[in-house]
Amino acid sequence: MTAKPAGALGAHNAKVMNRFELTKRLVAHLKRDEAVVGGIGNANFDLWASGQRAQNFYMLGSMGLAIPIALGVAIAQPQRHVLALEGDGSLLMQLGCLATVAERSPKNLTIVVWDNGIYQITGSQPTASSAAADLVAISRAAGIANSSWAADEADFERLAASALKGEGPSLIAARIDNKPAVATTDRDPVQIRERFMRGLGVKTRSNS
Ligand SMILES: Cc1ncc(C[n+]2csc(CCOP(=O)(O)OP(=O)(O)O)c2C)c(N)n1
């Protein structure tokens, strides 16, 4: 069974890709201890499966928080590039954060939206992006001018490499299939938080 094609007009020419495949490609571009915030569920499961990094944060339990958390980190650490990986359903629950990102306009923030047109992890109920909502158009209208659909894997990598140069904020949306994530993040919020704080250098042996 393949994912229902996203109904968004701007996404019609975009290839349906695979989240784990794209996550691996994205992580391969990270060379400068960039922080990555994975949204609830599949976004962070596939981030987890792509390899453990102390600069990764895995959101557990609440939808729509990857972008707000990443925005906070980007403002707190302007020298570090920060990425948020979020599902379409989670972003739709928290659309206001796009306007806040545009208003604060951190150059060091990149948002990646995995649009499978479904709330996959809770039973694949369709999201509004499977009907008519175009998340890239919404992002542009919120004020994030540098917002694009990735046409295919090579285009995704090109957009990611360009975003990582730091002329953000940027949003990259990818249509993805409905294959399940390839692993499950260890449910240990304290360890996730502690590791991330050390990975960002805000918690050291001397201040912990
Ligand atoms: C505030 C809130 N509402 C509902 C849920 C239940 N829930 C958890 S994940 C999820 C679906 C997430 O969909 P999406 O972000 O599109 O990711 P996908 O599952 O498709 O990878 C839902 C409804 C929740 N955890 N938090």
Side-chain angles (χ1 to χ4, degrees):
M1 187 173 134
T2 53
K4 191 174 173 189
L9 276 178
H12 281 172
N13 293 326
K15 181 180 170 188
V16 176
M17 297 177 274
N18 178 261
R19 183 181 45 242
F20 182 52
E21 190 54 44
L22 293 181
T23 303
K24 283 188 292 183
R25 288 174 184 249
L26 180 67
V27 169
H29 281 270
L30 306 181
K31 312 277 188 215
R32 294 184 293 135
D33 289 344
E34 294 88 345
V36 186
V37 180
I40 181 174
N42 293 311
N44 87 58
F45 292 173
D46 275 340
L47 176 64
W48 176 272
S50 73
Q52 302 297 299
R53 297 171 69 253
Q55 294 80 22
N56 289 356
F57 182 79
Y58 308 92
M59 185 61 218
L60 303 175
S62 295
M63 294 169 72
L65 288 185
I67 297 167
I69 292 168
L71 174 62
V73 176
I75 291 169
Q77 297 202 340
Q79 305 311 321
R80 185 190 302 276
H81 203 94
V82 184
L83 298 99
L85 315 182
E86 190 70 289
D88 55 325
S90 295
L91 175 55
L92 283 161
M93 184 171 267
Q94 184 71 293
L95 283 176
C97 70
L98 297 176
T100 308
V101 166
E103 189 263 328
R104 296 302 302 252
S105 208
K107 289 191 183 319
N108 56 329
L109 179 65
T110 299
I111 299 164
V112 176
V113 183
W114 305 129
D115 188 357
N116 53 12
I118 49 179
Y119 299 96
Q120 182 177 15
I121 214 161
T122 49
S124 299
Q125 303 86 353
T127 62
S129 65
S130 73
D134 183 326
L135 293 171
V136 168
I138 289 170
S139 179
R140 285 194 193 133
I144 306 176
N146 199 0
S147 300
S148 318
W149 285 102
D152 56 22
E153 286 85 354
D155 191 40
F156 177 82
E157 286 204 45
R158 184 186 63 74
L159 290 167
S162 164
L164 285 168
K165 287 190 183 134
E167 291 310 308
S170 318
L171 180 141
I172 305 167
R175 290 178 67 191
I176 57 161
D177 60 30
N178 64 352
K179 293 220 175 73
V182 304
T184 307
T185 306
D186 284 355
R187 279 193 92 79
D188 189 338
V190 174
Q191 193 201 40
I192 289 171
R193 183 196 65 203
E194 297 287 303
R195 193 164 176 225
F196 188 58
M197 289 175 77
R198 290 183 200 284
L200 265 52
V202 294
K203 190 163 190 175
T204 60
R205 287 194 198 293
S206 55
N207 71 7
S208 57

